[in-house]
Amino acid sequence: MVRRTRPALILLCWGYQVTTPSDITSAHDIRDDHLLAALLDGMDAALFAVDGGGRITHWNRQAERLLGWTAEQAVGRKGLGGWAVRDADAADVNDRLLRVLRAPGGGGPRQVQEFPLLRRDGGRVLVRAQVTAVRGPDGRGTGAYCAFSEVHAQLDLERNLALSEALLTDAAWAVLVVDADLRTVAANDRAARSLDATPVDMLGEPLGEFIGAGIEELEGALEHTLAGQAPDGPVEMWLTLREDDCREDEYGLPVPRDVEGGERCLLGGFLRLGSPLAAQAAPLGVAWVFQDVTRTRRAARRVARRAFRDGQLGRAARAAAECADPMEAARLHLHYALPGFAEHALLDVVGTQRDPARAPALVRIAQSPEADAYPLSPEGVAVRYGAGHPAPQAVERGVPVRVSGASDTAAWAAEQRWPEGTEHALCVPLRSRGRGLGALTFLRGAGRRPFDRADTAFAEDVALRLAACVDLARATGGS
């Protein structure tokens, strides 16, 4: 069997290393030649190689596609001058290609060069090339290979990489990337802070591990984006973190969630990520770019809520001014205060026959909506509240009382003599001319948040108007 020896060829380009042995059989040599040709032609980068004298030894299909010169026309030529490079530039380009061989050690590190090349049709193209020395068995440089691409295409690639790197480091926007299974694959620090986590903890985890209420809406937007139906504009989502949704007190009971402290408003868009190398468009995942606008939205919501409530108070005052009966004016105030604030409103006043030694006996004289548990007579209906009920407490103490239901909401509401489904209550005292006249109670169901300080302030405004009406009715001889 004939054996032949040739210098080893090592190609280092785009992360690949290909070595052809220097001492192999002819059969292996043939197979390796085919393998090397297939590797060179399958590369995404244009590539050619030169020996120590500047003669072209390899020319792949990408170089043929970019410049128009075929491998048969290029391989074996001495230098690039006169065909792939203008004669005026030939000496400079050839010197820059072989400069890596003159470095100490027989071959320098990879060098990045930019120079103009000629297409077969006579046009010029500016390329960015990576030039690397090819070492022989003795470690000396025997040639060089040049992997190149058009400068504009390379700059576009570098800009895309730089943009991705900037977004995932110190961008002003939060960026979170999920794969096709909706598992987190990347998140910058701002996104992790918005979700009360760290980028490391989020890797490989579904978003449901960090988000409680609102996760269905978020996952729906991600799935629509993967299907190529991304939302047209920015999407505003109110989400609750799972830690906030599962808080418990010292006795293991769930802590009522306050909207102002638990929910977060995230405004952003969804971008479908696809591979530019795939023959068919295959989604790699979705990038969610968002900002935490919770403070801004909360402030805007408080302003809108306050404007609506002030408008309701003004409408109630104008309607009450046309009422000859003060109690009718009180009922109007009650009806106007209810929309957007609570499901039920109860007006209880202290009975005229009151024993100072006992808790105040309260009489229900108005309620909204009208169709409630107690059908009211013109004189009202006495309500037998139990010991520790918040309504008598508000009358005795002269301060508002806020309460929320226990684990058994139905039994708790029945015990407090409130409508079924009540979970949150706010009792505000009615006071006029230094006297306690009764209590105003607002009730909310399980689908609403507990009453907060802003709600208490609005209820006190309503109670002031109701107390004036009740006091006027008694002063003029009413019940």
Side-chain angles (χ1 to χ4, degrees):
M1 182 177 294
V2 179
R3 301 173 64 89
R4 61 180 181 178
T5 303
R6 66 177 185 179
L9 178 62
I10 303 175
L11 296 180
L12 297 173
C13 181
W14 295 75
Y16 296 96
Q17 175 174 323
V18 180
T19 304
T20 57
S22 58
D23 188 9
I24 53 177
T25 61
S26 59
H28 289 170
D29 212 13
I30 294 174
R31 288 196 297 267
D32 287 344
D33 286 342
H34 293 167
L35 175 61
L36 179 60
L39 288 174
L40 293 179
D41 289 339
M43 294 178 60
D44 294 324
L47 181 141
F48 68 88
V50 296
D51 59 15
R55 189 177 302 277
I56 306 297
T57 60
H58 295 82
W59 189 273
N60 73 348
R61 291 186 182 274
Q62 282 295 102
E64 178 180 341
R65 183 191 64 81
L66 184 60
L67 299 179
W69 301 99
T70 65
E72 291 77 8
Q73 296 171 326
V75 174
R77 286 179 178 260
K78 177 72 173 181
L80 300 174
W83 59 286
V85 174
R86 293 191 313 173
D87 292 333
D89 301 328
D92 177 66
V93 172
N94 185 68
D95 179 72
R96 292 161 68 180
L97 287 175
L98 301 180
R99 186 179 302 169
V100 293
L101 301 179
R102 296 193 294 269
R110 181 179 305 179
Q111 298 181 2
V112 178
Q113 305 281 353
E114 288 187 6
F115 44 77
L117 295 180
L118 286 177
R119 293 193 182 97
R120 187 179 180 183
D121 58 6
R124 299 182 68 191
V125 56
L126 182 64
V127 300
R128 177 173 292 181
Q130 295 183 5
V131 184
T132 305
V134 178
R135 300 173 184 272
D138 55 359
R140 294 183 179 180
T142 60
Y145 74 85
C146 173
F148 64 95
S149 62
E150 193 174 358
V151 166
H152 298 295
Q154 184 69 18
L155 288 178
D156 289 340
L157 174 62
E158 293 180 3
R159 274 193 293 264
N160 291 336
L161 294 176
L163 175 61
S164 301
E165 185 68 20
L167 287 175
L168 291 175
T169 51
D170 54 355
W173 287 72
V175 181
L176 188 145
V177 182
V178 299
D179 59 14
D181 295 327
L182 303 187
R183 293 182 178 271
T184 307
V185 296
N188 63 1
D189 292 337
R190 191 176 293 270
R193 286 196 303 269
S194 298
L195 300 179
D196 279 351
T198 64
V200 176
D201 293 337
M202 298 183 67
L203 291 181
E205 298 292 339
L207 294 178
E209 294 292 327
F210 308 95
I211 300 174
I215 185 62
E216 295 83 4
E217 181 183 2
L218 175 58
E219 289 183 344
L222 293 172
E223 291 171 353
H224 278 82
T225 304
L226 282 173
Q229 301 174 0
D232 295 334
V235 179
E236 184 175 297
M237 293 186 178
W238 284 92
L239 306 175
T240 302
L241 301 186
R242 185 164 294 278
E243 292 182 358
D244 295 336
D245 216 16
C246 301
R247 291 180 299 169
E248 296 181 348
D249 59 16
E250 55 182 336
Y251 303 106
L253 298 176
V255 177
R257 178 170 54 86
D258 185 358
V259 172
E260 294 298 320
E263 285 189 337
R264 305 190 183 190
C265 183
L266 305 179
L267 174 66
F270 299 88
L271 305 174
R272 185 174 185 264
L273 305 180
S275 173
L277 304 179
Q280 296 181 352
L284 296 177
V286 177
W288 180 27
V289 184
F290 62 92
Q291 273 190 331
D292 190 339
V293 294
T294 306
R295 291 185 178 180
T296 305
R297 293 299 184 267
R298 283 178 181 169
R301 187 164 60 180
R302 284 194 294 266
V303 171
R305 182 188 302 157
R306 188 63 193 179
F308 172 75
R309 292 176 178 177
D310 290 344
Q312 289 295 97
L313 291 176
R315 293 176 61 194
R318 289 190 294 270
E322 303 299 327
C323 295
D325 183 5
M327 292 310 300
E328 182 63 25
R331 294 185 182 91
L332 282 176
H333 278 292
L334 202 64
H335 295 327
Y336 276 103
L338 197 61
F341 185 70
E343 279 83 15
H344 301 277
L346 311 175
L347 178 57
D348 303 328
V349 299
V350 178
T352 55
Q353 303 296 329
R354 176 180 176 185
D355 185 357
R358 302 182 59 183
L362 298 180
V363 178
R364 181 77 46 79
I365 61 172
Q367 57 193 12
S368 183
E370 294 289 351
D372 248 345
Y374 297 104
L376 300 182
S377 64
E379 295 79 14
V381 176
V383 185
R384 298 181 180 273
Y385 288 129
H389 194 281
Q393 286 185 13
V395 177
E396 290 180 345
R397 300 175 183 177
V399 295
V401 178
R402 290 181 288 171
V403 292
S404 293
S407 56
D408 190 355
T409 305
W412 177 78
E415 180 183 354
Q416 304 297 331
R417 299 186 179 276
W418 287 329
E420 183 180 357
T422 298
E423 186 166 337
H424 311 293
L426 171 60
C427 298
V428 183
L430 300 179
R431 297 190 62 83
S432 178
R433 296 189 295 172
R435 296 176 301 159
L437 303 180
L440 171 62
T441 302
F442 290 103
L443 305 175
R444 287 177 177 173
R448 304 284 295 272
R449 58 181 176 83
F451 292 96
D452 56 18
R453 293 183 179 180
D455 297 331
T456 303
F458 173 71
E460 289 178 326
D461 288 342
V462 177
L464 288 175
R465 291 163 169 79
L466 289 174
C469 293
V470 172
D471 194 17
L472 179 59
R474 291 188 173 181
T476 56
S479 58

